[in-house]
């Protein structure tokens, strides 16, 4: 048994993994995010009941750049007090278990590769579409994080007058159209033509992000996850139309575009960080 933790900017989920399933989990919403001690206490109190199980290790995914070797996280998204936190040392001292720390989207991608819809593919790009556009990489069946745990950040590539993330996440609805993804999806489902066109336009931007991933990594599969990916039917047509001009048509035909199906996949991926046969490239 292993404990997997998915730490977000507003919510933390932690669960006990065994045989590729989460058998128990706890969730909290972060409070006092400007206090390092308060947020660490919340995290520790969330994990503590799970150690009643015979867990052998803890893996945790964090929305930040991570020093994977030392388990230090930097400038965690939406938690201002987490500028530099020696998270591995803190949790190992608290629980007396080995702790592995990595980026949250890397954990999502690893979870999909080990347990989810991408488990039959050796090269995978995981893309989470939500408040941002995050990406993780599996190359030759191994999680690849790069020298500074920054590999695969497709969303930060220059695009139009900003970058891909600016147009391919919730910001597209908030900043450009003055609405939310939820409101836009409800309107589109009710037949609102303006909202339908909005989602088609959003699909164009997602399609450009996918093309960037294909040109750079040429993966077997791309997995879409995150809250906005649940609206896939609304942006699918615009996305596929944009992919039609990809320079290598045969590569496009062979690509598997997948949707995440498991809300616990990031916890599973975090738990998988501790597997003995996982050699993380750094």
């Amino acid at each position: 048994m292993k404990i997997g933790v998915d730490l977000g900017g507003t919510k933390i989920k932690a669960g006990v993994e065994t045989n590729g399933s989460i058998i128990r989990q706890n969730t909290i919403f972060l409070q006092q995010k400007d206090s390092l001690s308060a947020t660490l206490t919340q995290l520790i109190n969330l994990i503590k009941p799970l150690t009643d199980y015979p867990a052998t290790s803890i893996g945790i995914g964090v929305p930040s750049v991570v020093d994977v070797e030392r388990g230090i996280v930097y400038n965690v998204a939406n938690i201002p007090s987490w500028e530099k936190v020696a998270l591995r040392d803190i949790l190992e001292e608290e629980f007396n278990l080995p702790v592995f720390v990595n980026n949250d989207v890397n954990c999502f991608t690893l979870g999909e590769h080990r347990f989810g819809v991408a488990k039959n593919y050796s090269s995978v790009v995981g893309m989470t579409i939500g408040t941002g556009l995050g990406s993780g990489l599996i190359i030759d069946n191994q999680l690849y994080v790069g020298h500074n745990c920054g590999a695969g950040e497709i969303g930060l590539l220059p695009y139009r007058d900003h970058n891909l993330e600016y147009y391919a996440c919730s910001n597209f609805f908030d900043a450009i159209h003055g609405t939310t993804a939820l409101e836009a999806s409800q309107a589109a489902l009710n037949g609102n033509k303006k909202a339908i066109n909005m989602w088609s336009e959003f699909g164009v931007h997602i399609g450009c992000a996918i093309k960037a991933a294909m040109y750079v990594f040429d993966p077997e599969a791309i997995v879409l996850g995150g809250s906005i990916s649940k609206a896939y039917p609304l942006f699918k047509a615009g996305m596929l139309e944009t992919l039609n001009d990809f320079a290598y048509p045969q590569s496009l035909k062979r690509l598997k575009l997948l949707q995440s199906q498991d809300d616990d996949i990031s916890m599973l991926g975090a738990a998988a960080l501790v597997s003995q046969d996982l050699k993380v490239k750094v």
Side-chain angles (χ1 to χ4, degrees):
M1 290 185 178
K2 306 175 186 71
I3 295 172
V5 183
D6 180 18
L7 190 152
T10 58
K11 182 173 66 174
I12 313 175
K13 296 170 64 178
V16 177
E17 180 272 333
T18 183
N19 297 321
S21 297
I22 298 295
I23 60 171
R24 178 186 168 184
Q25 65 174 278
N26 297 327
T27 303
I28 59 168
F29 287 91
L30 277 172
Q31 307 294 328
Q32 298 175 273
K33 291 194 289 184
D34 57 346
S35 169
L36 176 60
S37 61
T39 48
L40 284 172
T41 296
Q42 291 171 68
L43 173 62
I44 288 168
N45 288 341
L46 180 72
I47 296 171
K48 191 170 292 183
L50 303 179
T51 60
D52 292 341
Y53 291 81
T56 56
S57 50
I58 299 170
I60 179 167
V62 184
S64 72
V65 170
V66 179
D67 182 331
V68 175
E69 291 185 333
R70 297 191 294 163
I72 299 173
V73 301
Y74 298 92
N75 304 112
V76 176
N78 297 312
I79 310 180
S81 59
W82 286 43
E83 294 182 0
K84 180 181 178 181
V85 182
L87 189 58
R88 184 190 68 189
D89 291 348
I90 291 168
L91 295 181
E92 286 188 344
E93 182 177 354
E94 178 68 32
F95 296 111
N96 195 30
L97 289 171
V99 174
F100 294 74
V101 186
N102 213 300
N103 173 266
D104 59 342
V105 185
N106 288 341
C107 290
F108 163 80
T109 306
L110 180 61
E112 292 292 359
H113 177 253
R114 298 296 285 275
F115 307 110
V117 295
K119 62 185 176 183
N120 294 322
Y121 304 101
S122 63
S123 61
V124 180
V125 173
M127 299 178 68
T128 57
I129 312 167
T131 54
L133 177 67
S135 302
L137 303 174
I138 297 291
I139 299 176
D140 293 334
N141 290 309
Q142 295 185 16
L143 178 64
Y144 180 77
V145 301
H147 185 60
N148 299 293
C149 198
E153 289 294 349
I154 296 164
L156 299 183
L157 291 173
Y159 177 69
R160 297 194 174 185
D161 55 338
H162 289 279
N163 57 26
L164 277 165
E165 183 175 69
Y166 186 89
Y167 291 95
C169 70
S170 64
N171 183 74
F172 170 81
F173 301 94
D174 302 333
I176 299 175
H177 290 283
T179 185
T180 67
L182 179 60
E183 290 170 347
S185 64
Q186 291 173 338
L189 291 171
N190 288 330
N192 183 285
K193 188 173 181 179
K194 181 179 178 181
I196 292 170
N197 290 337
M198 191 184 305
W199 279 104
S200 180
E201 181 186 351
F202 183 75
V204 170
H205 303 312
I206 296 297
C208 288
I210 289 172
K211 286 195 290 188
M214 292 177 69
Y215 283 127
V216 176
F217 302 111
D218 189 22
E220 289 180 88
I222 294 177
V223 187
L224 301 182
S227 57
I228 297 180
S229 73
K230 298 181 186 301
Y232 183 76
L234 297 176
F235 65 80
K236 178 181 177 180
M239 179 191 72
L240 293 179
E241 184 177 352
T242 301
L243 293 178
N244 283 335
D245 67 356
F246 187 71
Y248 309 117
Q250 292 304 314
S251 299
L252 184 61
K253 288 180 182 179
R254 297 177 65 187
L255 176 71
K256 302 298 182 183
L257 274 174
L258 309 169
Q259 272 188 281
S260 180
Q261 304 295 324
D262 190 339
D263 290 338
D264 295 335
I265 204 68
S266 293
M267 282 190 291
L268 290 168
L273 290 172
V274 308
S275 298
Q276 293 298 314
D277 60 341
L278 174 64
K279 297 178 181 178
V280 180
K281 294 183 179 180
V282 293

